[in-house]
Amino acid sequence: MSYMLLIHEPVGQRATRTEAEGRAAYAAMVAFGERLAAQGQLKAVESLAGLDGAVRVSHAGGRSQTLDGPFAEAKEMIGGFFLLQNVTREQAIALAHECPAAQWCTVEVRSLAPCFDESRA
């Protein structure tokens, strides 16, 4: 089965690190991804930029809206993800505990499923 580890990090957290600390955190995440890939458990991984250049698009009340970031109401952001494959739910949760980001963020574990299928929730 496939699971996604979503990295939820506090907005502005990256700015509190020195460049060396940021590079060390990134290197730890890269090493974690490389280990998952070597075990055949990684389908995709990406780090996401901060909210400054982000855009939110919605369609409400028949109107299309575009909101440029940063978003004042945001307390956290998705900082990146690991898309896992060939793992059970229990393995995905164990990997989330091993993820270096769990030391400074929240790692959310979600199974992949069509939006109409809540049976795999």
Side-chain angles (χ1 to χ4, degrees):
M1 205 159 169
S2 295
Y3 286 86
M4 182 168 279
L5 304 183
L6 292 168
I7 311 301
H8 293 264
E9 63 181 89
V11 171
Q13 176 179 256
R14 294 177 184 184
T16 66
R17 296 181 188 133
T18 65
E19 182 178 343
E21 290 169 334
R23 288 183 181 276
Y26 186 75
M29 297 294 279
V30 168
F32 179 68
E34 288 171 348
R35 190 185 92 212
L36 295 174
Q39 295 171 348
Q41 297 176 312
L42 186 66
K43 189 170 185 176
V45 59
E46 291 294 338
S47 177
L48 301 175
L51 294 177
D52 287 347
V55 176
R56 291 182 178 172
V57 174
S58 64
H59 298 278
R63 292 185 51 211
S64 178
Q65 298 177 350
T66 304
L67 177 63
D68 290 322
F71 312 111
E73 74 282 0
K75 292 186 171 87
E76 62 181 26
M77 66 178 196
I78 304 295
F81 68 88
F82 291 87
L83 181 54
L84 307 177
Q85 61 185 2
N86 307 320
V87 296
T88 65
R89 180 177 186 272
E90 292 73 23
Q91 288 172 316
I93 293 169
L95 291 169
H97 281 281
E98 294 174 24
C99 181
Q103 297 173 37
W104 62 82
C105 301
T106 300
V107 180
E108 179 180 347
V109 178
R110 301 269 298 274
S111 63
L112 275 61
C115 62
F116 58 83
D117 182 1
E118 287 294 324
S119 66
R120 295 197 279 176

